[in-house]
């Protein structure tokens, strides 16, 4: 099998998206492997998930640095030391500076629990319910300097129910997140993703197909498990 893409995963907490990537990478046929998990919080549950899977971890606590630039630089060094090819933000709740984003241009992706560009930032599910949208979802995208912005790789739409609370909606969106993140990583690792005019184009010309991986979730692109 061809060389597997080396992932560096940045987390701050629970790490359920990390777990989805760990599970995907456990399949020897998956074209990526996790080289390093970095958390800015020592008590992040995701660190336990990585340790259980025998994945190297680092804690780089932002509070130990005088500036964002120095914190970013420590992150950058850790990722380079682990020969990381692609950085995946998975619930990493620190803003990254422009220099870091530039250094990892087109090699840095994020997952966000909304259909971007709607509901950038925090409290997405509360705001989706307040706005009365009938569909929400999740987005995996390349990271650019602005928060929760950049070329979209995959999105999944999740219907909002009249009975939803922020927690119930978050739980259903999370199911979609766990399907979308491995799909996006797979496409990048298989070199199927190109960026034209800051938009993602799949080289094989995949066309939208829905529904795909759950009765209540549709995706904008075909998902090959
Ligand atoms: C996920 O819902 C992810 O989309 C969100 O944080 C959660 C992390 O959960 N990320 C953002 O809001 C980034 N703007 P997890 O730690 O269980 O993967």
């Amino acid at each position: 099998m061809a060389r597997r893409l080396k992932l560096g995963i940045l987390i701050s907490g629970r790490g359920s998206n990390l777990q989805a990537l760990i599970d995907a990478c456990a399949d020897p046929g998956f074209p990526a492997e996790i080289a390093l998990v970095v958390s800015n919080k020592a008590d992040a549950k995701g660190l336990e998930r990585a340790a259980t899977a025998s994945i190297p971890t680092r804690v780089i606590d932002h509070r130990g640095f005088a500036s964002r630039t120095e914190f970013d630089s420590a992150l950058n060094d850790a990722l380079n030391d682990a020969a990381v090819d692609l950085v995946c933000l998975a619930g990493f709740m620190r803003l990254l500076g422009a220099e870091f984003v530039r250094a990892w241009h087109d090699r840095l992706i994020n997952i966000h629990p909304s259909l971007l560009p709607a509901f950038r930032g925090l409290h997405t599910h509360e705001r989706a319910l307040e706005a009365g949208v009938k569909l929400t979802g999740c987005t995996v995208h390349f990271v650019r300097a602005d928060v929760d912005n950049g070329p979209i790789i995959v999105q999944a739409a999740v219907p909002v129910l009249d009975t939803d609370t922020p927690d119930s909606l978050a739980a259903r969106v999370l199911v979609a997140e766990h399907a979308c993140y491995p799909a996006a990583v797979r496409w990048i690792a298989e070199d199927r993703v190109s960026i034209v005019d800051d938009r993602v184009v799949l080289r094989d010309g995949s066309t939208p197909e829905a529904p795909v991986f759950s009765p209540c979730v549709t995706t904008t692109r075909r998902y090959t498990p």
Side-chain angles (χ1 to χ4, degrees), residues 86 105-110 140-144 149-153 188 193-195 200:
L86 178 72
H105 188 79
D106 292 351
R107 296 187 303 143
L108 172 60
I109 64 177
N110 178 45
V140 183
H141 64 96
F142 286 99
V143 173
R144 296 293 184 254
N149 183 41
I152 291 169
I153 305 162
I188 293 168
V193 170
S194 59
I195 301 174
V200 166

Side-chain angles (χ1 to χ4, degrees), residues 36 73-84 103-104 107:
L36 179 67
S73 170
L75 276 183
N76 191 52
D77 289 348
L79 294 163
N80 281 324
D81 287 350
V84 162
W104 290 91
R107 296 187 303 143

